[in-house]
Amino acid sequence: QVQLVESGGGLVQAGGSLRLSCAASGRTFSTYAMGWFRQAPGKEREFVAAISRYGGSRAYADSIKGRFTISRDNSENTVYLQMNSLKPEDTAVYYCAADFTTRERAHQASYEYDYWGQGTQVTVSS
């Protein structure tokens, strides 16, 4: 069992930056690949970024590639999402998720993830 708590969301103008954090507690953090997903009003949840257990593999959605960076600090049990050049279409609730796995892979499919946080709201104004 692992608990995930996101933070760092807020209101920012287009072109601005935010850094989301997701703190994990429970099982050994390095046994989990981690991912970020988002859900905008009236839309389905979509993949944003993922990172493998030790950071050797990362994956990004095309819509955010080059603007967002996922990273993790296993000593701090935390995964980050640095978001730059934000656009109004990035407005959504952002969720972090944990995938208990023995493989060094970054999964994009939400069904691969076992645990989810409560989400943090990101609003980008134009």
Side-chain angles (χ1 to χ4, degrees):
Q1 190 80 8
V2 65
Q3 293 77 43
L4 303 172
V5 179
E6 303 97 334
S7 62
L11 173 64
V12 63
Q13 288 188 331
S17 298
L18 283 174
R19 188 175 82 155
L20 304 184
S21 300
C22 174
S25 61
R27 302 183 67 169
T28 303
F29 188 58
S30 59
T31 60
Y32 291 91
M34 299 297 295
W36 286 98
F37 292 77
R38 68 186 182 185
Q39 188 167 19
K43 295 187 176 181
E44 293 188 353
R45 185 169 54 192
E46 65 175 359
F47 168 75
V48 176
I51 188 167
S52 58
R53 297 185 304 157
Y54 295 98
S57 178
R58 307 181 193 200
Y60 295 96
D62 289 342
S63 60
I64 58 88
K65 201 170 291 184
R67 300 188 296 121
F68 292 9
T69 302
I70 189 170
S71 61
R72 67 187 293 161
D73 185 339
N74 287 353
S75 67
E76 296 292 331
N77 294 349
T78 302
V79 62
Y80 303 98
L81 185 68
Q82 177 66 45
M83 306 186 295
N84 299 328
S85 302
L86 282 160
K87 304 175 181 180
E89 52 263 44
D90 295 318
T91 295
V93 177
Y94 284 71
Y95 300 90
C96 73
D99 166 28
F100 179 60
T101 179
T102 59
R103 307 175 73 177
E104 185 66 3
R105 290 183 61 181
H107 293 128
Q108 299 189 32
S110 61
Y111 64 78
E112 297 278 6
Y113 290 84
D114 305 293
Y115 303 101
W116 294 81
Q118 293 299 308
T120 185
Q121 176 70 47
V122 171
T123 303
V124 184
S125 64
S126 58

